[in-house]
Amino acid sequence: QVQLQQSGPGLVKPSQTLSLTCAISGDSVSTKSASWNWIRQSPSRGFEWLGKAYYRSKWYIEYAPSVKSRMTLKPDTSKNQLSLQLDSVTDEDTAVYYCVRLIGDGVLDIWGQGTLVTVSS
Amino acid sequence: DIQMTQSPSSLSASVGDRITITCRASQSISNHLNWFQQKPGKAPELLIYTVSTLQSGVPSRFSGSGSGTEFTLTISSLQLEDFGTYFCQQSHTAPHTFGQGTKVETK
């Protein structure tokens, strides 16, 4: 069955870079029938979609306008994983971050376990 | 962005109760409405997609209905494992937004 295993630090200092990885098993990061998304959840803002990567004969990467200037998603086909980098973090980036598979007509069917990232000095 | 509003924000119920949660969209989303269950400290799990299709493994006591802007999630006979928070989510228009959640607690 498909599983998403997230890894990365839970504490990041303000102005530094948040880095998370999502390792995919049971599916391929370069599948043409899904996209791989990052979504975060915080008590103050609820769920916020951050970005996605998908392969349709070439790679497409899309970002939410709110993070576009400081976020980078990188698919790695050799390791079958997707990485997220978010630069210049502030305390507003404190949240639980999820890697999520999206299939079909916008169905978020498989979620990673979540990573609580706290931005604090 | 499309706003999703759930009601109630919380409810207390007993095992065996029938409960209904409502989700309203700020504009028509046709049938692009999904429901998730989340337990404390865990990732959300997909329950129902496109209004009424149960995800594999989801018990038949869960059901969904609605169209356009108003949708409901019903649990016909609440079980102990059903306590948690439920979220609706629209997948009609990017960004795919979520409701604020309905916390189902034991009475």
Side-chain angles (χ1 to χ4, degrees):
Chain A
Q1 88 255 32
V2 180
Q3 291 185 320
L4 307 178
Q5 182 65 40
Q6 299 175 215
S7 59
L11 181 63
V12 183
K13 289 181 167 50
S15 79
Q16 296 197 342
T17 296
L18 180 164
S19 298
L20 297 174
T21 299
C22 175
I24 301 162
S25 58
D27 200 349
S28 170
V29 70
S30 54
T31 180
K32 293 184 178 181
S33 58
S35 66
W36 305 95
N37 294 251
W38 285 95
I39 292 171
R40 66 185 179 185
Q41 182 183 22
S42 65
S44 58
R45 297 161 73 148
F47 289 97
E48 181 183 9
W49 176 80
L50 299 175
K52 65 179 178 182
Y54 56 101
Y55 185 77
R56 303 288 186 268
S57 302
K58 70 173 187 176
W59 283 103
Y60 295 85
I61 299 177
E62 299 176 11
Y63 302 104
S66 60
V67 296
K68 188 174 183 178
S69 63
R70 56 191 186 97
M71 182 165 158
T72 305
L73 293 184
K74 290 183 181 176
D76 184 335
T77 55
S78 65
K79 295 181 179 178
N80 203 32
Q81 65 186 29
L82 179 69
S83 65
L84 173 156
Q85 284 190 52
L86 186 64
D87 298 326
S88 306
V89 298
T90 71
D91 56 1
E92 292 197 346
D93 295 311
T94 293
V96 179
Y97 287 73
Y98 293 103
C99 173
V100 192
R101 185 177 79 166
L102 186 150
I103 61 168
D105 200 8
V107 180
L108 298 166
D109 72 327
I110 306 292
W111 294 63
Q113 80 275 23
T115 303
L116 172 60
V117 178
T118 302
V119 178
S120 174
S121 53
Chain B
D1 298 359
I2 295 177
Q3 304 302 313
M4 305 299 293
T5 304
Q6 289 181 234
S7 61
S9 55
S10 66
L11 66 89
S12 296
S14 301
V15 171
D17 285 352
R18 179 185 181 91
I19 69 164
T20 298
I21 298 169
T22 298
C23 177
R24 289 186 174 86
S26 60
Q27 63 190 72
S28 177
I29 57 171
S30 185
N31 67 338
H32 297 95
L33 190 282
N34 311 305
W35 290 97
F36 297 85
Q37 178 193 64
Q38 187 176 33
K39 300 285 181 72
K42 299 293 187 183
E45 292 186 359
L46 178 66
L47 284 178
I48 291 173
Y49 58 95
T50 53
V51 177
S52 59
T53 305
L54 265 59
Q55 174 70 338
S56 176
V58 174
S60 59
R61 62 180 179 272
F62 290 90
S63 64
S65 64
S67 67
T69 62
E70 187 154 338
F71 304 88
T72 59
L73 170 69
T74 299
I75 307 175
S76 61
S77 177
L78 195 67
Q79 300 301 302
L80 204 58
E81 60 267 29
D82 300 337
F83 293 97
T85 303
Y86 292 83
F87 295 92
C88 61
Q89 179 239 357
Q90 64 84 15
S91 52
H92 181 271
T93 304
H96 296 170
T97 45
F98 289 77
Q100 81 282 11
T102 296
K103 188 172 185 179
V104 177
E105 299 174 300
T106 179
K107 186 180 288 184

